[in-house]
Amino acid sequence: MSIKQRFIFSLVLSLPMLVQMIAMPFGWMLPGGAWTMFALTTAIMLVSARPFIHSAWAAFKNHHANMDTLVAIGTATAYLYSVYALLHHQGVFFESAAFVITFILLGQVLEEKMRTNASSAVEKLMDLQVKEADVIRDGQVVKVPLEQIQVGDTLQVKPGQKIAVDGIITTGSSSVDESMVTGESMPITKKVGDQVIGSTINKTGTFRYTAQKVGNDTLLAQIVEMVKKAQNSRAPIQKTADQISNIFVPIVLIIAIVTFVVWNVFLNAVPVRALLFAVSVIIIACPCALGLATPTALMVGTGRSAKSGVLIKNGEVLEAANNIQTVVFDKTGTITNGQPQVTDVVGDNHTQILQIAAALETNSEHPLAAAILHQAQTEHIATPTVQNFQAITGKGVQGEIDHQTAFVGNDKLVANYQLSQDLQQQMVQLQNQAKTVVLVGFQEKIIGLIAIQDTPKASARPTITALKKQGLKTVMLTGDNQRVAQAIAQQVGIDQVIANVLPGDKATKVQELQQQSRVAFVGDGINDAPALTIADVGIAMGSGTDIAIESGGIVLVKNDLRGVVQALELSKKTFQRIKLNLFWAFIYNALGIPIAAGLFVGWGLTLSPEIAGLAMALSSISVVSSSLLLNKTKLTPIPD
């Protein structure tokens, strides 16, 4: 029977006893009274509590004590004493045993629900691979399953298709989108002799290439393996409650035994009275509140964070976030928008420059052309008809508009046309800002420039500023070159830039940073999955790939970078609340042990098993109330 099924079973059978507890002051009792409670609790002990008892016994044989030990001893003692009391017509507290089991199982159900299956990220990575590819066999193009492709095979890739395996281009050229693997923001122009990566997307031309790496040797397969290793290498965090339990449980048992011996042997109390004191000690120490300390804080903390667009996946993330010192960001799609945008239009006639450029780029699929067309549409600029369209090899495109020559291209066009000194200076200035500059010409002369760049998100700078105010160091990792990365970093205020980083190196760089401090990594791409997994805390952007989201311990649903600050702050506050709950759960019960043991009986202060059960309920209420206060905790405001 699963944990969830055991919880439901225990909850259903506990509810009648809860109703009786509430209605008892009004004179209502369960039909059958204590015997009905005995039947309900016996079923709970046989079905829901059995795994705790088995675990406690296994721990005992290994000279170890854990949470299950506390649960098993407390509930078994409460149950067995209640059976004795039932037979001797004394007060019973079967409900204490039933409620403890129900509360502990509730915590386990919540933890299980929050925990993500690690293998799902790996499965989604594998799904990126194509199922079949066009392979040249005997001069013919044939469809071949991926697993049958061999090193040395020649493959053909058309526009829009995925590249099957790693290899080298032998004929043709194209623009390839490698952002999903390398993090490079712009598609890369590939020609004969250039390497291509499996599972990346061919954007424009058709080409053929020779397979160099297949199967487990491909870059994607290596990323999958890195994610597996990172997930398997993460040791489970030893829970604070279990650590304290190793000391707390033996002490409680010793105190209970000493209590019985002292009262029965040295103080000549009758065995029943001595047993009542001993049972009270164990009941007051029973971890009812301890079982609620973590799940209630997690429920409230994660619930509040979810309303803010921040999904925290498990308790380990909360603990790790409490000690973060460095926050590492991926660039493309995380710090930046992930799409090239027109940032500057330079020239005497702004509208004419965009009009000519958009007209010539209408049929192009290149991201730079898409940025120009988007800008023209945003400004509601109509595009004229182009005639005699043709490409200028390695430089750009040209055509005729109103019977006049018009052209758009890169800075190599300067050799063919005259560029004014003013435009020349502005082009250099824009290039120094790591922007891609497109030249626009009309009537045999260059009339203007269009600068294009993957721009930072509006929330990037205030996020970095807020993190710095908290004393956190900020780092940016990217596959882009140093100049582009440095320009973006200066705009948003990043402390350190690590550029030209390959997918496999991202996780390595994170590990290097972890040697100096505890690291949170923020990313959104497939290439970020290993780094998200291996970091102390992985924070995935909600707009990113499913793989990145699966690998991250925290997910920012709203795709707002300010969520990074909220995520870390909420994680810290929630984990601090858990520690406070655990402290009071132990202290509350520990303070009741001397009273339960009868040390203050001379002053008329005693704690019967029934009152001990009530004390447990009060400790649970205090823990729940403490957790609910998380909803009132104020977070640091971050400006737009």
Side-chain angles (χ1 to χ4, degrees):
M1 185 178 286
S2 68
I3 293 176
K4 184 176 181 180
Q5 290 172 330
R6 286 164 52 209
F7 166 68
I8 293 173
F9 181 84
S10 180
L11 178 64
V12 171
L13 296 188
S14 297
L15 284 176
M17 290 183 279
L18 176 63
V19 172
Q20 175 177 285
M21 182 181 293
I22 297 172
M24 190 181 297
F26 303 100
W28 186 86
M29 295 287 291
L30 279 172
W35 285 101
T36 301
M37 296 173 66
F38 164 72
L40 294 173
T41 306
T42 299
I44 291 173
M45 294 298 293
L46 290 174
V47 176
S48 299
R50 180 179 296 177
F52 293 124
I53 297 172
H54 286 174
S55 175
W57 177 246
F60 173 75
K61 289 192 293 186
N62 290 300
H63 310 290
H64 179 67
N66 55 23
M67 271 288 295
D68 290 344
T69 306
L70 287 171
V71 176
I73 292 176
T75 55
T77 303
Y79 174 76
L80 293 174
Y81 173 79
S82 294
V83 171
Y84 169 84
L86 177 65
L87 297 175
H88 290 79
H89 308 288
Q90 298 179 13
V92 298
F93 46 97
F94 286 113
E95 70 279 1
S96 297
F99 292 163
V100 167
I101 295 298
T102 304
F103 287 142
I104 297 299
L105 286 174
L106 171 63
Q108 293 188 355
V109 167
L110 292 172
E111 185 175 356
E112 186 180 67
K113 185 177 180 180
M114 292 168 59
R115 194 175 297 274
T116 306
N117 187 351
S119 63
S120 61
V122 176
E123 291 171 1
K124 290 186 178 181
L125 274 174
M126 296 303 296
D127 287 342
L128 289 174
Q129 294 180 325
V130 296
K131 306 304 179 185
E132 57 184 13
D134 293 336
V135 180
I136 310 301
R137 296 278 170 87
D138 299 324
Q140 301 293 320
V141 178
V142 295
K143 293 285 186 183
V144 175
L146 179 65
E147 57 272 14
Q148 294 182 15
I149 298 175
Q150 301 176 359
V151 174
D153 279 346
T154 299
L155 293 85
Q156 178 174 286
V157 187
K158 295 179 180 180
Q161 289 184 333
K162 280 187 178 181
I163 297 168
V165 295
D166 300 357
I168 293 181
I169 294 179
T170 54
T171 59
S173 62
S174 183
S175 176
V176 178
D177 180 2
E178 296 183 341
S179 61
M180 65 170 59
V181 175
T182 66
E184 176 64 49
S185 56
M186 297 289 188
I188 308 298
T189 300
K190 299 287 186 178
K191 58 184 184 302
V192 174
D194 288 342
Q195 291 187 335
V196 290
I197 302 171
S199 299
T200 56
I201 300 174
N202 179 30
K203 300 294 287 186
T204 53
T206 299
F207 64 87
R208 293 183 177 183
Y209 72 101
T210 300
Q212 279 192 317
K213 295 180 179 180
V214 299
N216 294 331
D217 294 329
T218 63
L219 183 59
L220 179 64
Q222 291 173 3
I223 291 176
V224 170
E225 187 61 27
M226 282 188 288
V227 172
K228 286 182 179 179
K229 288 181 179 179
Q231 290 172 335
N232 293 332
S233 66
R234 191 185 292 271
I237 297 175
Q238 181 66 39
K239 300 300 181 183
T240 305
D242 282 343
Q243 293 174 338
I244 300 176
S245 295
N246 283 323
I247 302 172
F248 188 68
V249 173
I251 290 176
V252 169
L253 293 177
I254 291 171
I255 292 174
I257 293 170
V258 169
T259 298
F260 178 83
V261 171
V262 169
W263 278 100
N264 184 242
V265 177
F266 297 100
L267 299 179
N268 298 317
V270 295
V272 173
R273 181 171 171 79
L275 180 62
L276 285 175
F277 283 119
V279 169
S280 295
V281 168
I282 296 179
I283 294 301
I284 195 65
C286 191
C288 183
L290 195 62
L292 285 171
T294 298
T296 54
L298 284 176
M299 273 195 299
V300 178
T302 54
R304 178 177 176 180
S305 63
K307 291 178 182 178
S308 303
V310 178
L311 299 182
I312 302 172
K313 294 189 177 180
N314 55 54
E316 291 182 2
V317 173
L318 294 172
E319 185 165 349
N322 195 49
N323 298 311
I324 290 300
Q325 298 164 298
T326 302
V327 183
V328 181
F329 292 88
D330 171 54
K331 182 182 78 69
T332 306
T334 303
I335 291 292
T336 66
N337 291 297
Q339 293 291 335
Q341 296 179 352
V342 172
T343 58
D344 304 87
V345 177
V346 180
D348 294 334
N349 192 327
H350 177 101
T351 301
Q352 184 187 30
I353 294 168
L354 267 180
Q355 190 175 50
I356 291 172
L360 291 169
E361 298 286 17
T362 297
N363 297 318
S364 175
E365 296 179 358
H366 196 281
L368 298 183
I372 292 172
L373 290 169
H374 176 74
Q375 187 65 28
Q377 292 170 358
T378 301
E379 298 186 21
H380 304 290
I381 294 175
T383 55
T385 303
V386 177
Q387 296 176 331
N388 298 324
F389 178 88
Q390 61 179 331
I392 309 173
T393 305
K395 297 180 181 180
V397 295
Q398 71 177 25
E400 290 185 359
I401 297 177
D402 296 332
H403 306 292
Q404 298 291 333
T405 301
F407 54 87
V408 176
N410 55 36
D411 54 7
K412 293 179 182 177
L413 287 171
V414 176
N416 296 2
Y417 302 95
Q418 185 176 359
L419 184 66
S420 68
Q421 185 174 358
D422 181 48
L423 287 178
Q424 176 73 42
Q425 290 176 349
Q426 293 192 63
M427 183 176 71
V428 172
Q429 183 179 355
L430 291 169
Q431 289 175 334
N432 287 337
Q433 296 173 7
K435 297 177 181 179
T436 301
V437 179
V438 174
L439 283 69
V440 181
F442 189 61
Q443 295 180 337
E444 301 297 329
K445 66 177 182 179
I446 297 173
I447 62 171
L449 311 171
I450 298 177
I452 301 171
Q453 189 181 46
D454 185 8
T455 56
K457 293 178 178 177
S459 60
R461 188 170 186 83
T463 297
I464 301 302
T465 301
L467 291 173
K468 286 183 175 182
K469 287 182 179 179
Q470 294 182 12
L472 299 173
K473 178 183 178 182
T474 55
V475 179
M476 185 169 72
L477 285 183
T478 178
D480 272 342
N481 62 65
Q482 184 70 34
R483 190 179 69 169
V484 171
Q486 198 63 49
I488 297 295
Q490 289 176 354
Q491 292 182 52
V492 301
I494 291 280
D495 294 320
Q496 180 183 351
V497 173
I498 304 176
N500 299 307
V501 181
L502 295 176
D505 292 337
K506 281 194 175 182
T508 302
K509 293 295 182 183
V510 169
Q511 286 179 312
E512 291 175 1
L513 291 168
Q514 283 177 312
Q515 294 176 4
Q516 304 169 9
S517 62
R518 297 184 67 82
V519 174
F521 181 84
V522 188
D524 74 324
I526 294 166
N527 62 305
D528 298 328
L532 282 166
T533 307
I534 208 165
D536 296 291
V537 175
I539 304 176
M541 302 298 290
S543 65
T545 63
D546 288 344
I547 294 87
I549 293 173
E550 294 288 347
S551 301
I554 297 175
V555 179
L556 307 183
V557 179
K558 292 183 179 179
N559 195 33
D560 189 335
L561 270 177
R562 287 172 294 187
V564 174
V565 182
Q566 288 185 328
L568 293 178
E569 191 172 356
L570 276 169
S571 295
K572 288 180 180 180
K573 290 183 181 297
T574 304
F575 183 67
Q576 288 168 359
R577 185 66 57 174
I578 289 174
K579 290 195 295 185
L580 180 64
N581 286 352
L582 289 173
F583 172 78
W584 282 113
F586 279 111
I587 294 299
Y588 189 98
N589 292 340
L591 290 176
I593 289 176
I595 302 174
L599 293 183
F600 303 99
V601 71
W603 288 272
L605 187 60
T606 60
L607 196 63
S608 66
E610 294 88 345
I611 300 300
L614 178 60
M616 282 199 310
L618 292 176
S619 67
S620 300
I621 293 172
S622 67
V623 165
V624 172
S625 300
S626 172
S627 296
L628 290 174
L629 289 175
L630 275 171
N631 280 322
K632 304 297 181 180
T633 302
K634 293 183 179 180
L635 298 178
T636 305
I638 305 173
D640 295 329

